[in-house]
Amino acid sequence: MAIREGELAHREGSAVQVRPEAIRARWTIDEGLLSADDHEVRCIVSCGLRVLDDPTERRMFTETFLSASDSAPISVVIEHFRPALQSAIGKTARSLAVDALLSDAARQPVLEAVKSALGRVGFSCGIEALSPYELEMESPTLRRERLDLMERQIAERRAAGELEQMRRAGDLLGQFNQIRTASPELSPGQVLGRLSPRDQASVLRTLLMSQAREDQAELFLVSGPSLARVDFSAASAPIVRRLEIPESLGPLRSVQPARIDGERWLLIGARSGMMVVDPADSSPEAIACYADPGIDTAMGFSQCVAWHDQLWACHADGGIVAWNREGDRQRPALAVRPFQLPASTALQAPGGGDSARLSGGSSSSIRTRPASVRNLLIAGDAALVFSVGEQLLSVDRMGGIALAAGEPQSQIVAIVDDDDLHFVVAHEDGQVVRRRRRGLEIISIQRRAGRVTSAGSMPWMGQRRVLLVSGDGPVLCLSSDDPLITQYLSNYRGLRMAAGSAGLIVAVCPDRQRLIAWRPWEPDAPIGEAHVIPITRHRVADIAFA
């Protein structure tokens, strides 16, 4: 007959087998223990237990633990000692305040009470308690009280720090406004650049936060044949709402905001034309569609603008096209096809497989594809600007084309507004070229990033800050007037495009299935993502705030 693990003794018939060595016992006493100042107390006691080797003691042990069972597991023995331990520790704990009870000085009195209780119970049941004795005491309520105190102190220090930061930001903002008042000829970026380098980021953050209060811009996207509105303000998750629009012009390629007669509109570029959409009323009867039957390619109109009384758009294969707003909507009033551009902009495609069928303008034929026409922007009352590969060009109201002065840098990825007098050209190699609207004169050339795949902008103090989308890193936000670069971080690499409003910056994820958003003043982490595919069934082609 062998003693099983966890047993102190075992009986089989009239024979009783007792474990000869001591077995370790452990008690956790945490119910009903209170200190003199009413703190909850938790006590853990452990020692060795052994059945005494004496016939009288063995008889007392058997009567106590084996009268109703053939086994005396250590768990049963432990519970037999518990009431006496609970009482002894409780009396000692109740006589001392919690701080004194948990001190080293109180350890010996508590341990003596434990030994006395174990001795009294063991004497009545034939069990001996053996050293080493271990005693651990703690107070859950004291721990919570100290944790609460620590959290309050941290919160107070944080609040004090934030208050000091707000006071400091207020002082800096006052300094910023004083410089602007004293030197009205300086742009906000130039004023920011005159502050101490360590203060510039704080002032920029404060200015971004303050302008966000008045942000009313809505985010729109085009995806396949769908136009959708995206709301990141919902408490639970972003909301994507699909708007019904006509599909007669083919899949949608681009979306831009426009002001026409003082009203807010969306200009939608499609495969074979463009649409003018009221954001508040996207019903088919309220949408004006302008077609270009001279285009027969898979590409779409990538940029649309309202200029004077006309609607202008650029198409990679179709060139520059213009419609009279109140005229014929079935064909353009003016078309400058890629093969009509200056010879220096043409890039001959190898072989005949990469050709496009174009008609309109002065001729209709199949030609090798020139470099794509992209990035149309209003430069002023006299001209629009656009890009073809590395070249910047302008077009006037009569369709006259001119090359802008300046050596080509690298592929132009975007042309974005800067202020009323300037615009910015972003090149693939990371160079940012600032040009004057009148005359297209180069004001500055800066290399602010590595490889750039796309660019957008966000409003700031009556100007725009440029958003550069790099192929392998964060979205960079910068201005030509100040040295600050803000990096909007995420877990994604290879973002596709970005757009910004006063209260939100949004980029398109590499797979073009999701949008990722940041608060402009919180660049370290996005506030959320919007999954587009379940709503539109297509990938994102373009985004814009309006």
Side-chain angles (χ1 to χ4, degrees):
M1 178 176 58
I3 297 291
R4 292 190 289 266
E5 184 178 356
E7 281 186 331
L8 208 55
H10 186 87
R11 181 175 61 189
E12 188 169 321
S14 59
V16 174
Q17 179 71 30
V18 175
R19 182 181 295 276
E21 72 277 6
I23 190 169
R24 200 71 184 164
R26 176 186 172 95
W27 294 266
T28 298
I29 312 296
D30 56 4
E31 295 183 3
L33 294 186
L34 294 174
S35 65
D37 47 358
D38 292 326
H39 274 284
E40 295 176 3
V41 178
R42 183 172 184 264
C43 185
I44 300 175
V45 177
S46 62
C47 68
L49 294 182
R50 184 182 66 185
V51 179
L52 290 168
D53 189 14
D54 178 88
T56 303
E57 303 291 350
R58 292 285 178 94
R59 185 170 58 253
M60 294 172 62
F61 175 85
T62 302
E63 291 175 354
T64 303
F65 296 106
L66 296 176
S67 60
S69 173
D70 291 334
S71 174
I74 188 63
S75 59
V76 172
V77 176
I78 285 173
E79 289 306 311
H80 183 75
F81 281 83
R82 181 180 296 278
L85 282 174
Q86 178 99 23
S87 176
I89 296 172
K91 288 179 181 179
T92 306
R94 199 58 177 165
S95 66
L96 297 171
V98 68
D99 288 330
L101 181 63
L102 299 182
S103 67
D104 291 339
R107 182 178 181 82
Q108 192 59 35
V110 174
L111 194 56
E112 290 300 326
V114 166
K115 291 180 178 179
S116 176
L118 291 173
R120 289 195 305 273
V121 176
F123 181 77
S124 65
C125 64
I127 292 179
E128 178 184 19
L130 302 174
S131 60
Y133 290 88
E134 293 182 0
L135 174 67
E136 299 176 25
M137 297 188 72
E138 65 169 355
S139 171
T141 54
L142 180 63
R143 185 175 65 250
R144 288 195 297 269
E145 185 180 275
R146 289 175 175 173
L147 184 60
D148 290 343
L149 177 60
M150 183 183 302
E151 289 177 346
R152 284 198 302 272
Q153 291 173 340
I154 293 173
E156 289 170 359
R157 287 196 297 268
R158 184 185 296 117
E162 291 176 351
L163 187 62
E164 174 60 23
Q165 186 176 9
M166 290 176 61
R167 186 196 65 78
R168 174 69 176 161
D171 292 344
L172 292 172
L173 196 57
Q175 184 181 349
F176 178 89
N177 290 329
Q178 286 176 2
I179 298 175
R180 290 199 71 189
T181 302
S183 304
E185 74 280 2
L186 297 179
S187 69
Q190 290 170 331
V191 175
L192 192 63
R194 292 196 173 191
L195 299 177
S196 167
R198 70 183 183 89
D199 295 330
Q200 291 174 2
S202 177
V203 172
L204 176 60
R205 179 175 180 270
T206 303
L207 292 171
L208 291 174
M209 291 179 65
S210 63
Q211 75 171 10
R213 300 188 188 118
E214 301 177 0
D215 184 31
Q216 296 181 345
E218 295 180 292
L219 177 63
F220 293 88
L221 65 86
V222 288
S223 171
S226 303
L227 171 67
R229 179 186 282 110
V230 186
D231 182 5
F232 274 94
S233 65
S236 55
I239 300 173
V240 181
R241 294 186 178 91
R242 186 171 177 268
L243 308 177
E244 296 295 333
I245 61 173
E247 300 183 13
S248 57
L249 297 178
L252 307 183
R253 169 63 180 82
S254 63
V255 55
Q256 296 89 36
R259 284 281 175 180
I260 302 177
D261 298 331
E263 299 293 328
R264 184 182 67 150
W265 297 88
L266 292 175
L267 304 183
I268 310 294
R271 175 181 292 176
S272 58
M274 63 167 291
M275 289 176 272
V276 181
V277 180
D278 181 354
D281 182 7
S282 62
S283 59
E285 59 273 12
I287 296 176
C289 296
Y290 297 82
D292 183 356
I295 295 179
D296 183 18
T297 77
M299 308 295 284
F301 283 94
S302 60
Q303 205 83 19
C304 306
V305 299
W307 191 44
H308 297 293
D309 293 326
Q310 293 182 310
L311 299 168
W312 290 69
C314 65
H315 190 288
D317 294 332
I320 303 295
V321 177
W323 295 266
N324 293 323
R325 276 171 39 207
E326 303 301 331
D328 185 0
R329 297 180 181 177
Q330 298 307 308
R331 63 182 58 255
L334 182 148
V336 181
R337 302 305 185 184
F339 58 81
Q340 296 173 292
L341 297 175
S344 62
T345 65
L347 298 178
Q348 296 297 323
D354 191 27
S355 60
R357 182 179 299 277
L358 303 171
S359 63
S362 60
S363 62
S364 173
S365 61
I366 297 179
R367 297 174 181 263
T368 54
R369 185 198 297 267
S372 298
V373 177
R374 303 182 187 277
N375 303 313
L376 189 65
L377 183 80
I378 299 173
D381 289 338
L384 303 173
V385 291
F386 63 97
S387 68
V388 178
E390 300 175 352
Q391 297 277 7
L392 180 71
L393 300 93
S394 66
V395 57
D396 61 28
R397 296 180 65 181
M398 303 304 296
I401 303 295
L403 282 169
E407 291 296 323
Q409 307 296 319
S410 69
Q411 184 83 14
I412 294 175
V413 298
I415 307 173
V416 298
D417 283 314
D418 186 10
D419 56 27
D420 292 339
L421 300 178
H422 307 92
F423 64 89
V424 169
V425 181
H427 292 264
E428 188 179 43
D429 65 356
Q431 291 192 82
V432 176
V433 180
R434 192 184 195 201
R435 287 180 178 261
R436 201 182 305 277
R437 291 183 185 273
R438 177 172 294 184
L440 310 185
E441 174 190 358
I442 293 178
I443 304 300
S444 66
I445 301 177
Q446 301 172 321
R447 188 182 296 277
R448 308 296 294 273
R451 178 176 172 269
V452 174
T453 58
S454 178
S457 66
M458 62 170 289
W460 182 66
M461 303 289 291
Q463 294 183 306
R464 310 287 296 185
R465 294 187 76 83
V466 180
L467 301 173
L468 297 181
V469 181
S470 60
D472 56 357
V475 176
L476 306 179
C477 181
L478 54 92
S479 169
S480 301
D481 279 344
D482 63 69
L484 291 179
I485 297 179
T486 307
Q487 300 186 50
Y488 291 89
L489 306 176
S490 72
N491 294 326
Y492 296 98
R493 293 294 179 267
L495 298 172
R496 292 305 188 96
M497 63 194 76
S501 70
L504 206 63
I505 290 176
V506 176
V508 178
C509 291
D511 59 9
R512 293 194 290 121
Q513 297 185 30
R514 293 175 295 279
L515 304 181
I516 181 170
W518 299 263
R519 297 297 183 199
W521 58 92
E522 296 176 347
D524 293 339
I527 62 167
E529 296 183 17
H531 199 190
V532 175
I533 292 291
I535 306 299
T536 66
R537 306 298 179 188
H538 293 271
R539 298 186 180 191
V540 178
D542 196 15
I543 57 174
F545 283 94

